[in-house]
Amino acid sequence: MAEQLTYKSSGVDTQAKDGVIDRIFKMMRRTYDPRVIELPWGFSGLFSLQSKHQLFRKAYKNPVLVACTDGVGTKLKIAVMMDKHDTVGIDLVAMSINDLIVCGAEPLFFLDYLAVGKVEENVIVDLVKGIVTGCEQSGCALLGGETAEMPGFYPPGEYDMAGFAVGMAEKSRIITGKGIKAGDIVIGLASNGIHSNGYSLVRKVFFDKAHMKVSTHIDEFGSTLGEELLRPTRIYARAMRDLHRFYRVKNAIKGIAHITGGGIMENVPRVLPKGVSIEIEKSKWKVPPVFSVIQKTGNVPEQEMFRVFNMGIGLIIIVDSYFAGAILKRLVKSGEKPFAIGQVKKGNQQVIIK
C-alpha cells in the first residue's frame, strides 16, 4: 500500500500551532483597552474609532490614520545564537512605533507576522512576550498577527518577524519639519545601545574579524557580548505623547527624526526643509562603549559610524529655542535622558558633526 502523506508528515503541525495561539491570546489581552473589540480566532482584529465615547486620549477634529511597517533585521541572528527570544519582540514594535510618532501620531494598534521553519512553542511564546511588552511600553493594543510554519524555507531554529503599527494624528498638528528655521535647538534622546540597525556590520566586526563568541565577556560593557547586542530598542512613545499633550496649541516641536538605518547623518535630513542644516556637537553626550568598541575592533571610520549607527542618540527633536529649556525638563520627568546637542543653521539639508 502506498504511503499516505499528510500535512503533518510534510512538516506542518497545525494542532501544535493552535495550542500556541491559545496561549498568545491570553498575553494579547494585556494590551487591550475598551477600543478593542475582541474576536478570538477571527480572521481580523477590530478597533473602534468612535471618539465620541472618549476612548481616545485626545479629541480629534480632522483625524488622519498613520501606518508604519518594519522588521528586526539580522539582530535576530544574535537571538538565535543566544537562544534568547524574549526581547526581539520589543525591537519589532519599537521600529514601527518610533517611526510612527515622529509625525505626532498616537499609536493605536500593532500586528505581527512570524515565519518559522517549525513551530517551537517556547520560542513563539517568548517572541510574543516581547511584542506584548513593546505594545505595553507604546500604549497600543496588540490586535492580532500571523504565525506561518514554513518547513524547508528556514534553517532549523531560525525565524523571521515583521510587523506594522497604525496610529492617528490631528491633521493640523502633523509634524513635518516644514517650520524648522535657523536658531532652533536640536535635542537628542539617549538610545539603549545599538537598537536594531547595523547588525550586518556588527556581526562582521565581532564574529568574522575578531572571532568572538556571544559568551565573550567584554569589560567595557560589563556583560557578555551577546547580552550587549540584545539590548532592546528604546521606545519613545510615552515621552512624546506627554510632550504633545502639553504643547497642544503652541508650535514648540518643529521636527522629529527616528535614528535608525542611516544613523544621524541620513535620518535627520529627512525632516529638514530647504535652506537649513543642523550642526551637532558630539561632545554634548556620552557615546555608549559599544560603539567605541565596534569602531576600534573593526577599524571603522568615524564618519561611517555616524552614518550606520545611532551613536547613543535614538530620537532627535528639533524645537523652538524659546521652549527648549522647558522641553528638556519635561523629557527628564518622562524618564528620558535628553541632551541639547546642536542648533539649526542656514544650509542645504545637511548634518554637520563637530
Side-chain angles (χ1 to χ4, degrees):
M1 182 176 180
E3 179 187 4
Q4 292 183 322
L5 294 178
T6 65
Y7 206 14
K8 185 175 182 179
S9 67
S10 67
V12 178
D13 189 341
T14 55
Q15 288 185 329
K17 186 171 76 170
D18 289 350
V20 176
I21 292 173
D22 280 332
R23 293 182 63 181
I24 289 174
F25 282 149
K26 294 178 182 178
M27 289 190 288
M28 287 170 58
R29 290 191 179 96
R30 286 166 41 191
T31 70
Y32 288 178
D33 63 22
R35 296 174 290 185
V36 176
I37 300 172
E38 289 201 50
L39 188 64
W41 287 98
F43 289 91
S44 56
L46 305 176
F47 192 94
S48 173
L49 294 179
Q50 294 187 4
S51 58
K52 66 181 182 180
H53 294 309
Q54 296 183 344
L55 297 179
F56 291 97
R57 294 177 177 86
K58 59 182 178 181
Y60 290 90
K61 295 181 180 179
N62 194 351
V64 175
L65 288 176
V66 182
C68 297
T69 186
D70 211 334
V72 179
T74 61
K75 186 173 185 175
L76 296 179
K77 288 278 191 181
I78 312 300
V80 172
M81 294 167 71
M82 291 280 289
D83 192 23
K84 179 175 171 55
H85 312 280
D86 58 349
T87 60
V88 287
I90 301 174
D91 293 293
L92 180 65
V93 177
M95 297 308 290
S96 284
I97 293 295
N98 285 343
D99 278 352
L100 186 146
I101 61 175
V102 301
C103 66
E106 169 197 0
L108 300 181
F109 57 83
F110 185 85
L111 292 97
D112 67 82
Y113 175 85
L114 306 179
V116 300
K118 179 179 177 57
V119 169
E120 297 180 50
E121 183 171 350
N122 291 336
V123 173
I124 298 295
V125 169
D126 277 352
L127 291 174
V128 177
K129 280 181 182 177
I131 295 171
V132 168
T133 299
C135 287
E136 289 177 320
Q137 292 178 8
S138 305
C140 70
L142 176 57
L143 201 58
E146 168 69 10
T147 300
E149 191 170 14
M150 303 163 64
F153 195 86
Y154 292 97
E158 294 200 4
Y159 53 85
D160 198 6
M161 58 198 313
F164 78 85
V166 172
M168 186 173 287
E170 178 62 51
K171 187 175 181 180
S172 64
R173 299 293 294 169
I174 292 175
I175 299 171
T176 64
K178 65 180 181 181
I180 295 173
K181 67 181 189 304
D184 289 339
I185 301 299
V186 180
I187 294 175
L189 301 190
S191 70
N192 194 30
I194 301 174
H195 284 185
S196 295
N197 301 102
Y199 273 81
S200 294
L201 178 55
V202 167
R203 291 184 299 111
K204 188 78 173 177
V205 168
F206 287 123
F207 304 131
D208 294 348
K209 181 177 182 179
H211 304 292
M212 294 183 184
K213 298 180 179 179
V214 290
S215 59
T216 302
H217 187 275
I218 299 187
D219 291 340
E220 292 93 329
F221 303 162
S223 67
T224 66
L225 175 61
E227 288 169 339
E228 177 64 36
L229 298 185
L230 273 189
R231 286 181 181 271
T233 305
R234 188 164 182 82
I235 297 175
Y236 302 99
R238 293 191 183 277
M240 295 313 302
R241 183 182 293 127
D242 290 344
L243 275 186
H244 295 318
R245 185 181 298 169
F246 188 79
Y247 294 103
R248 295 178 180 176
V249 178
K250 297 175 181 178
N251 189 25
I253 303 168
K254 303 289 193 69
I256 309 172
H258 179 203
I259 310 304
T260 56
I264 293 174
M265 302 300 294
E266 295 183 7
N267 283 289
V268 177
R270 296 167 65 178
V271 302
L272 295 179
K274 292 181 179 180
V276 299
S277 292
I278 67 168
E279 290 186 0
I280 290 178
E281 297 182 50
K282 59 186 178 183
S283 62
K284 294 295 185 180
W285 77 95
K286 184 178 180 180
V287 175
V290 64
F291 298 110
S292 301
V293 175
I294 291 171
Q295 184 175 3
K296 181 179 179 181
T297 305
N299 192 27
V300 182
E302 184 177 70
Q303 182 79 0
E304 180 74 354
M305 293 295 297
F306 275 94
R307 194 187 67 82
V308 175
F309 301 110
N310 66 61
M311 299 300 284
I313 299 295
L315 197 77
I316 279 182
I317 311 170
I318 300 174
V319 305
D320 189 289
S321 60
Y322 179 81
F323 299 101
I327 288 175
L328 286 165
K329 291 179 181 178
R330 296 203 70 85
L331 287 168
V332 171
K333 288 182 180 179
S334 296
E336 299 297 334
K337 293 180 180 178
F339 310 94
I341 62 173
Q343 193 172 31
V344 178
K345 305 283 187 178
K346 291 182 179 180
N348 190 27
Q349 297 172 301
Q350 295 178 316
V351 176
I352 303 162
I353 297 178
K354 295 183 174 181

